[in-house]
Amino acid sequence: MRTVERSIHLEIKQLKYFVEVARREHLSEAALELNIAQSAISRQITLLEQELQVTLFNRQGRNIHLTSHGKALLTQATQILEQLDETVALFQQTNHKNARILNIGFEESYISQMITAIIQAFERQYDSIIVPHMMSSSEISEALYTGKIDIGLVEINTALQKNANLSLKPLFEETYHVYVPKDDVIALSINPPLTQLAETQLFTLKPLATTIESRLQHTLKLPIHIIGTKSLAHYLLKHHRGYVILPDYLSLENEVEALCDISLAHTELKRSFCVAFKKDNKKVDILNLSNLIHQLLSKVSTYH
């Protein structure tokens, strides 16, 4: 003969009602404690007994007493509800902790020079902590959409501007400058066009932003070389091997060699930055952090 297994479906509220009644052995007191009708408790206890196919209480008029089955269930139900409370508390604690963690994505830019100051200023005033992530522009956009980061300090682009779910606050415009030997012909130029750089080898300390590199590629005939160190930049300039192009937050010390520092702010070599975050981000200090960043960075125009 085949054995048919019977599925049992217990509800948490049934166990809660049962425990309150079992501890008091009094329906009306349990109903008062739970702030529900006595009839509702009686109905749930009856459903629980039917589900378990046992009698949980002996009823004598208004008095009720636990049966042996009831005493066994009280032990188990108490453990289940305590475990449930611990689980809920654990998740609430985790959610509370996460609500106080703000992930910032930022590009290699003037912001990377200021990120420490931003974190220090913010964490002095608020309880939340900042976790910084250096990323590319495309990585920041993706991380904002997926929720990996809460705030992006990023170059403004069309995709960000068209996203109705994001709040964008403009910060500053990043421009570029170029170092040339002081006796080079370009040193005599006022606001030289980019075409004046076309025939000369350009060097830079760090990789240029994609948007800047793309704009330069339309003008230059030679690829830009990344050299990494200021000492090498000085050597190349001293020996007339080319020019060194840098964003305005980076500079070369001009103490020994005779260098000329030429601003390119009049050209199309510009990057506009913003602070971006999801409008539905509910973290406690998201607006405080956004406002502080705007306060610290929005007034910046030149960095050298």
Side-chain angles (χ1 to χ4, degrees):
M1 179 185 251
R2 206 172 147 191
T3 302
V4 178
E5 293 185 359
R6 178 174 174 269
S7 297
I8 296 178
H9 303 284
L10 299 181
E11 295 184 14
I12 295 299
K13 70 176 180 180
Q14 290 176 335
L15 294 181
K16 288 183 177 179
Y17 293 175
F18 165 75
V19 168
E20 287 296 333
V21 175
R23 286 173 176 170
R24 290 171 171 75
E25 293 193 329
H26 203 287
L27 277 172
S28 59
E29 289 182 7
L32 188 62
E33 175 66 24
L34 294 168
N35 195 29
I36 59 173
Q38 183 174 322
S39 58
I41 293 182
S42 296
R43 183 166 61 255
Q44 292 301 323
I45 296 296
T46 299
L47 291 173
L48 183 59
E49 289 179 323
Q50 292 174 354
E51 189 69 43
L52 298 175
Q53 296 185 338
V54 296
T55 300
L56 299 173
F57 295 98
N58 288 321
R59 296 165 175 81
Q60 298 176 343
R62 293 186 177 182
N63 298 320
I64 58 174
H65 304 284
L66 283 169
T67 64
S68 58
H69 291 302
K71 292 176 181 179
L73 180 60
L74 178 59
T75 300
Q76 296 298 319
T78 301
Q79 293 176 358
I80 291 170
L81 293 176
E82 287 177 351
Q83 182 63 48
L84 178 63
D85 288 341
E86 290 175 4
T87 302
V88 171
L90 177 62
F91 277 93
Q92 287 176 339
Q93 183 179 12
T94 300
N95 288 337
H96 178 73
K97 182 179 179 181
N98 288 339
R100 290 290 185 178
I101 296 176
L102 293 168
N103 290 280
I104 289 187
F106 63 99
E107 288 192 66
E108 171 64 48
S109 64
Y110 176 69
I111 295 165
S112 57
Q113 312 294 309
M114 287 292 294
I115 192 67
T116 301
I118 290 171
I119 293 173
Q120 289 175 338
F122 177 80
E123 293 184 356
R124 278 198 300 264
Q125 297 181 55
Y126 303 101
D127 293 331
S128 298
I129 64 171
I130 293 174
V131 179
H133 308 261
M134 181 176 278
M135 306 167 127
S136 68
S137 178
S138 59
E139 287 172 337
I140 290 174
S141 297
E142 179 64 23
L144 280 170
Y145 301 147
T146 61
K148 182 179 178 181
I149 61 173
D150 300 295
I151 279 185
L153 304 180
V154 62
E155 183 179 359
I156 299 173
N157 58 57
T158 305
L160 290 174
Q161 291 174 317
K162 288 184 176 180
N163 191 323
N165 297 320
L166 293 179
S167 175
L168 305 183
K169 289 185 177 181
L171 293 176
F172 62 88
E173 188 174 70
E174 182 173 281
T175 58
Y176 285 72
H177 60 146
V178 63
Y179 285 93
V180 305
K182 198 164 187 178
D183 58 359
D184 193 285
V185 64
I186 196 175
L188 301 175
S189 301
I190 299 175
N191 294 335
L194 290 180
T195 51
Q196 247 186 292
L197 309 178
E199 304 286 345
T200 306
Q201 178 65 63
L202 287 186
F203 302 97
T204 189
L205 297 181
K206 299 179 180 182
L208 295 174
T210 303
T211 50
I212 298 301
E213 190 172 12
S214 176
R215 288 165 193 164
L216 282 171
Q217 284 175 349
H218 294 299
T219 302
L220 304 182
K221 296 183 178 181
L222 298 173
I224 301 172
H225 295 328
I226 301 168
I227 54 176
T229 66
K230 293 182 179 181
S231 60
L232 181 53
H234 279 286
Y235 177 86
L236 294 169
L237 285 165
K238 180 179 179 181
H239 290 82
H240 294 261
R241 301 277 289 276
Y243 306 152
V244 177
I245 186 169
L246 299 172
D248 273 343
Y249 65 88
L250 295 178
S251 64
L252 298 179
E253 291 76 12
N254 189 12
E255 297 176 356
V256 181
E257 289 85 4
L259 305 181
C260 182
D261 180 6
I262 301 174
S263 172
L264 298 176
H266 59 283
T267 72
E268 65 268 29
L269 297 187
K270 293 181 175 69
R271 303 175 71 202
S272 296
F273 281 82
C274 70
V275 53
F277 60 92
K278 276 188 173 181
K279 293 177 181 177
D280 62 356
N281 190 312
K282 302 301 182 184
K283 289 194 175 180
V284 179
D285 287 319
I286 189 75
L287 290 178
N288 291 329
L289 177 55
S290 171
N291 291 336
L292 184 141
I293 291 170
H294 190 262
Q295 177 185 349
L296 290 178
L297 297 183
S298 64
K299 297 179 182 179
V300 175
S301 57
T302 58
Y303 322 109
H304 69 286

